[in-house]
Amino acid sequence: MSNVRIIGNSLPRMPWENKPEGLEAPIWRHSANPIVPRNPAPGIARIFNSAVAPYEDRFVGVFRAETVNGRPHLSLGWSDDALSWTFDERPIDFVDEEGRPFNPGYAYDPRLVQVEGVYYIIWCTDFYGAAIGLARTEDFKTFVRLENPFLPFNRNGVLFPRKIGGNYVMLSRPSDSGHTPFGDVFLSESPDLVYWGKHRHVMSKGGQGWWQSVKIGGGPAPIETSEGWLMFYHGVTGTCNGLVYSMSAVILDLDEPSKVKYRSANFILTPEEWYEERGFVANVVFPCATLHDADTGRIAIYYGAADTYVGVAYTTAEEIVRYVIETNEIIGDDREIGRM
Ligand code: BMA
């Protein structure tokens, strides 16, 4: 395997720390985690499971903000260094394509993806139960909410950062409307972000390891690399003490992303630090975004910790892709196109 390259933009101002001496794991935590503490803004008790992106000469984020009444909304945040954030106290105000108010009853687990110069927010919304919401913005001032792409129940909508074969592509994890005890990742295509079809199965829960035995869900938008689409995702196991959320990585075929090329049999990050083990929901790491630099291959992963905090972890495309290939375990028919 030649050197792994990220196919994308330069981002030399992204946050970065070198790998600590002697660490075996392929990813390492930011030394000043968590980067967002409890009660980060008036009226907001907790911020976690959130998405960030470079925008003009700053960074912007769409944050899952749990207000002091316990209901989740999406709030914008701004930062010069992508580590220290200031948050809008008011939730994002969505309008429909005619400019009429179109705000979700609740909104959580946002992803933020730029496709052809337009930013898209994808989140878990209230559509007679948990479903996927979709909105676009070009200026982070006006947010136009589009039709909900899929029927309920569904979560973990992840848009690819470019069209594939002429279509937009979105991953999702069909589920129930509660604390879903099952779930695989699927993919759907659309020519216009309105009509979705060509549904495919992408990857299964399970395998030899137990960390992803209950369900899995897509994470940050996939990163295009010379080896395929690199995607971080979460895997869940059940214990006497409730569910435990860990993180790992998969490499999907560039042209046919419903085919898994490699996926690690192991988690790459599991709750170990106090801010991951202790909080509103203990033992959760939940990745929703990355910043990455095509020149150096550096990747910063933004993840929610214990449904209470935001953490950052670092790796490089070279290090994580090599690890995934070395620890590869294909589960079920994941290598197939996923059309039964
Ligand atoms: C999932 C989602 C996530 C959350 C996780 C653990 O079902 O709702 O937002 O982090 O549960 O509570």
Side-chain angles (χ1 to χ4, degrees), residues 48-49 64 108-109 155 178-179 215 245 281 284 286 307:
F48 55 100
N49 299 7
R64 170 175 177 164
Y108 59 81
D109 300 353
R155 287 191 178 90
H179 302 293
K215 55 182 169 177
Y245 284 67
V281 180
V284 180
F286 196 96
D307 287 11

PDB file of all heavy atoms in Angstrom, residues 48-49 64 108-109 155 178-179 215 245 281 284 286 307, ligand 1:
ATOM      1  N   PHE A  48     -23.218  18.437  23.222  1.00  0.00           N
ATOM      2  CA  PHE A  48     -22.473  17.204  22.875  1.00  0.00           C
ATOM      3  C   PHE A  48     -22.900  16.774  21.476  1.00  0.00           C
ATOM      4  O   PHE A  48     -23.670  17.496  20.822  1.00  0.00           O
ATOM      5  CB  PHE A  48     -22.743  16.110  23.924  1.00  0.00           C
ATOM      6  CG  PHE A  48     -24.195  15.782  24.153  1.00  0.00           C
ATOM      7  CD1 PHE A  48     -24.771  14.665  23.559  1.00  0.00           C
ATOM      8  CD2 PHE A  48     -24.986  16.590  24.951  1.00  0.00           C
ATOM      9  CE1 PHE A  48     -26.112  14.359  23.758  1.00  0.00           C
ATOM     10  CE2 PHE A  48     -26.333  16.291  25.148  1.00  0.00           C
ATOM     11  CZ  PHE A  48     -26.898  15.177  24.552  1.00  0.00           C
ATOM     12  N   ASN A  49     -22.416  15.672  20.970  1.00  0.00           N
ATOM     13  CA  ASN A  49     -22.788  15.114  19.656  1.00  0.00           C
ATOM     14  C   ASN A  49     -23.008  16.234  18.630  1.00  0.00           C
ATOM     15  O   ASN A  49     -24.136  16.454  18.145  1.00  0.00           O
ATOM     16  CB  ASN A  49     -24.066  14.266  19.772  1.00  0.00           C
ATOM     17  CG  ASN A  49     -23.915  13.086  20.712  1.00  0.00           C
ATOM     18  OD1 ASN A  49     -22.916  12.937  21.386  1.00  0.00           O
ATOM     19  ND2 ASN A  49     -24.933  12.239  20.768  1.00  0.00           N
ATOM     20  N   ARG A  64     -25.552  20.262  19.226  1.00  0.00           N
ATOM     21  CA  ARG A  64     -26.716  19.711  19.921  1.00  0.00           C
ATOM     22  C   ARG A  64     -26.760  20.352  21.294  1.00  0.00           C
ATOM     23  O   ARG A  64     -25.923  20.061  22.162  1.00  0.00           O
ATOM     24  CB  ARG A  64     -26.608  18.198  20.061  1.00  0.00           C
ATOM     25  CG  ARG A  64     -27.671  17.635  20.997  1.00  0.00           C
ATOM     26  CD  ARG A  64     -27.656  16.134  21.062  1.00  0.00           C
ATOM     27  NE  ARG A  64     -28.644  15.654  22.032  1.00  0.00           N
ATOM     28  CZ  ARG A  64     -29.075  14.410  22.082  1.00  0.00           C
ATOM     29  NH1 ARG A  64     -28.614  13.521  21.233  1.00  0.00           N
ATOM     30  NH2 ARG A  64     -29.961  14.047  22.984  1.00  0.00           N
ATOM     31  N   TYR A 108     -31.528  16.661  17.196  1.00  0.00           N
ATOM     32  CA  TYR A 108     -30.282  16.225  17.840  1.00  0.00           C
ATOM     33  C   TYR A 108     -29.338  15.513  16.881  1.00  0.00           C
ATOM     34  O   TYR A 108     -29.688  15.214  15.752  1.00  0.00           O
ATOM     35  CB  TYR A 108     -30.561  15.394  19.088  1.00  0.00           C
ATOM     36  CG  TYR A 108     -31.360  14.122  18.963  1.00  0.00           C
ATOM     37  CD1 TYR A 108     -30.765  12.933  18.547  1.00  0.00           C
ATOM     38  CD2 TYR A 108     -32.686  14.083  19.339  1.00  0.00           C
ATOM     39  CE1 TYR A 108     -31.477  11.742  18.505  1.00  0.00           C
ATOM     40  CE2 TYR A 108     -33.414  12.899  19.291  1.00  0.00           C
ATOM     41  CZ  TYR A 108     -32.809  11.737  18.871  1.00  0.00           C
ATOM     42  OH  TYR A 108     -33.513  10.569  18.824  1.00  0.00           O
ATOM     43  N   ASP A 109     -28.114  15.303  17.353  1.00  0.00           N
ATOM     44  CA  ASP A 109     -27.056  14.594  16.631  1.00  0.00           C
ATOM     45  C   ASP A 109     -26.815  15.143  15.219  1.00  0.00           C
ATOM     46  O   ASP A 109     -26.850  14.403  14.221  1.00  0.00           O
ATOM     47  CB  ASP A 109     -27.356  13.087  16.569  1.00  0.00           C
ATOM     48  CG  ASP A 109     -27.451  12.457  17.949  1.00  0.00           C
ATOM     49  OD1 ASP A 109     -27.147  13.154  18.939  1.00  0.00           O
ATOM     50  OD2 ASP A 109     -27.825  11.285  18.054  1.00  0.00           O
ATOM     51  N   ARG A 155     -32.325   7.255  12.106  1.00  0.00           N
ATOM     52  CA  ARG A 155     -31.375   8.165  12.761  1.00  0.00           C
ATOM     53  C   ARG A 155     -30.036   8.119  12.021  1.00  0.00           C
ATOM     54  O   ARG A 155     -29.838   7.318  11.133  1.00  0.00           O
ATOM     55  CB  ARG A 155     -31.117   7.722  14.209  1.00  0.00           C
ATOM     56  CG  ARG A 155     -32.250   7.966  15.174  1.00  0.00           C
ATOM     57  CD  ARG A 155     -31.741   7.734  16.589  1.00  0.00           C
ATOM     58  NE  ARG A 155     -32.761   7.993  17.580  1.00  0.00           N
ATOM     59  CZ  ARG A 155     -33.615   7.067  18.032  1.00  0.00           C
ATOM     60  NH1 ARG A 155     -33.563   5.842  17.580  1.00  0.00           N
ATOM     61  NH2 ARG A 155     -34.510   7.381  18.943  1.00  0.00           N
ATOM     62  N   GLY A 178     -37.417   4.756  20.024  1.00  0.00           N
ATOM     63  CA  GLY A 178     -36.906   4.793  21.396  1.00  0.00           C
ATOM     64  C   GLY A 178     -35.411   4.521  21.421  1.00  0.00           C
ATOM     65  O   GLY A 178     -34.672   5.024  20.570  1.00  0.00           O
ATOM     66  N   HIS A 179     -34.976   3.725  22.387  1.00  0.00           N
ATOM     67  CA  HIS A 179     -33.538   3.426  22.505  1.00  0.00           C
ATOM     68  C   HIS A 179     -33.235   2.149  21.724  1.00  0.00           C
ATOM     69  O   HIS A 179     -32.878   1.115  22.282  1.00  0.00           O
ATOM     70  CB  HIS A 179     -33.148   3.305  23.975  1.00  0.00           C
ATOM     71  CG  HIS A 179     -33.464   4.540  24.753  1.00  0.00           C
ATOM     72  ND1 HIS A 179     -32.800   5.734  24.527  1.00  0.00           N
ATOM     73  CD2 HIS A 179     -34.394   4.802  25.699  1.00  0.00           C
ATOM     74  CE1 HIS A 179     -33.300   6.661  25.328  1.00  0.00           C
ATOM     75  NE2 HIS A 179     -34.276   6.126  26.046  1.00  0.00           N
ATOM     76  N   LYS A 215     -25.959  -2.486  17.845  1.00  0.00           N
ATOM     77  CA  LYS A 215     -26.284  -1.631  16.693  1.00  0.00           C
ATOM     78  C   LYS A 215     -25.054  -0.797  16.338  1.00  0.00           C
ATOM     79  O   LYS A 215     -24.131  -0.658  17.151  1.00  0.00           O
ATOM     80  CB  LYS A 215     -27.463  -0.712  17.001  1.00  0.00           C
ATOM     81  CG  LYS A 215     -27.275   0.139  18.253  1.00  0.00           C
ATOM     82  CD  LYS A 215     -28.499   0.992  18.548  1.00  0.00           C
ATOM     83  CE  LYS A 215     -28.400   1.627  19.916  1.00  0.00           C
ATOM     84  NZ  LYS A 215     -29.529   2.525  20.210  1.00  0.00           N
ATOM     85  N   TYR A 245     -21.309   3.002  24.168  1.00  0.00           N
ATOM     86  CA  TYR A 245     -21.042   3.484  22.810  1.00  0.00           C
ATOM     87  C   TYR A 245     -19.547   3.671  22.601  1.00  0.00           C
ATOM     88  O   TYR A 245     -18.919   4.460  23.311  1.00  0.00           O
ATOM     89  CB  TYR A 245     -21.728   4.832  22.579  1.00  0.00           C
ATOM     90  CG  TYR A 245     -23.218   4.745  22.347  1.00  0.00           C
ATOM     91  CD1 TYR A 245     -24.082   4.346  23.349  1.00  0.00           C
ATOM     92  CD2 TYR A 245     -23.753   5.098  21.109  1.00  0.00           C
ATOM     93  CE1 TYR A 245     -25.460   4.283  23.127  1.00  0.00           C
ATOM     94  CE2 TYR A 245     -25.130   5.048  20.874  1.00  0.00           C
ATOM     95  CZ  TYR A 245     -25.969   4.630  21.888  1.00  0.00           C
ATOM     96  OH  TYR A 245     -27.316   4.576  21.667  1.00  0.00           O
ATOM     97  N   VAL A 281     -25.589  10.547  30.311  1.00  0.00           N
ATOM     98  CA  VAL A 281     -25.638   9.121  29.950  1.00  0.00           C
ATOM     99  C   VAL A 281     -24.198   8.614  29.971  1.00  0.00           C
ATOM    100  O   VAL A 281     -23.385   8.998  29.128  1.00  0.00           O
ATOM    101  CB  VAL A 281     -26.267   8.902  28.558  1.00  0.00           C
ATOM    102  CG1 VAL A 281     -26.311   7.411  28.227  1.00  0.00           C
ATOM    103  CG2 VAL A 281     -27.673   9.495  28.497  1.00  0.00           C
ATOM    104  N   VAL A 284     -20.484   6.877  26.857  1.00  0.00           N
ATOM    105  CA  VAL A 284     -20.821   7.161  25.454  1.00  0.00           C
ATOM    106  C   VAL A 284     -19.702   7.979  24.811  1.00  0.00           C
ATOM    107  O   VAL A 284     -19.332   9.038  25.337  1.00  0.00           O
ATOM    108  CB  VAL A 284     -22.139   7.965  25.323  1.00  0.00           C
ATOM    109  CG1 VAL A 284     -22.449   8.249  23.853  1.00  0.00           C
ATOM    110  CG2 VAL A 284     -23.315   7.235  25.976  1.00  0.00           C
ATOM    111  N   PHE A 286     -19.424   9.427  20.845  1.00  0.00           N
ATOM    112  CA  PHE A 286     -20.354   9.495  19.712  1.00  0.00           C
ATOM    113  C   PHE A 286     -19.812  10.508  18.700  1.00  0.00           C
ATOM    114  O   PHE A 286     -20.037  11.715  18.831  1.00  0.00           O
ATOM    115  CB  PHE A 286     -21.728   9.921  20.259  1.00  0.00           C
ATOM    116  CG  PHE A 286     -22.875   9.685  19.323  1.00  0.00           C
ATOM    117  CD1 PHE A 286     -23.655   8.543  19.418  1.00  0.00           C
ATOM    118  CD2 PHE A 286     -23.204  10.623  18.343  1.00  0.00           C
ATOM    119  CE1 PHE A 286     -24.739   8.337  18.567  1.00  0.00           C
ATOM    120  CE2 PHE A 286     -24.273  10.419  17.484  1.00  0.00           C
ATOM    121  CZ  PHE A 286     -25.050   9.279  17.598  1.00  0.00           C
ATOM    122  N   ASP A 307     -23.081  12.100  26.642  1.00  0.00           N
ATOM    123  CA  ASP A 307     -24.242  12.980  26.375  1.00  0.00           C
ATOM    124  C   ASP A 307     -24.154  14.270  27.197  1.00  0.00           C
ATOM    125  O   ASP A 307     -25.183  14.840  27.603  1.00  0.00           O
ATOM    126  CB  ASP A 307     -25.569  12.246  26.661  1.00  0.00           C
ATOM    127  CG  ASP A 307     -25.892  11.187  25.593  1.00  0.00           C
ATOM    128  OD1 ASP A 307     -25.009  10.884  24.761  1.00  0.00           O
ATOM    129  OD2 ASP A 307     -27.022  10.681  25.609  1.00  0.00           O
TER     130      ASP A 307
HETATM  131  C1  BMA B   1     -28.581   7.458  20.898  1.00  0.00           C
HETATM  132  C2  BMA B   1     -28.687   8.882  20.414  1.00  0.00           C
HETATM  133  C3  BMA B   1     -27.475   9.695  20.833  1.00  0.00           C
HETATM  134  C4  BMA B   1     -27.023   9.451  22.243  1.00  0.00           C
HETATM  135  C5  BMA B   1     -27.006   7.968  22.547  1.00  0.00           C
HETATM  136  C6  BMA B   1     -26.660   7.671  23.992  1.00  0.00           C
HETATM  137  O1  BMA B   1     -29.790   6.776  20.705  1.00  0.00           O
HETATM  138  O2  BMA B   1     -29.838   9.450  20.949  1.00  0.00           O
HETATM  139  O3  BMA B   1     -27.814  11.052  20.740  1.00  0.00           O
HETATM  140  O4  BMA B   1     -25.729   9.975  22.418  1.00  0.00           O
HETATM  141  O5  BMA B   1     -28.260   7.411  22.255  1.00  0.00           O
HETATM  142  O6  BMA B   1     -27.607   8.221  24.861  1.00  0.00           O
END
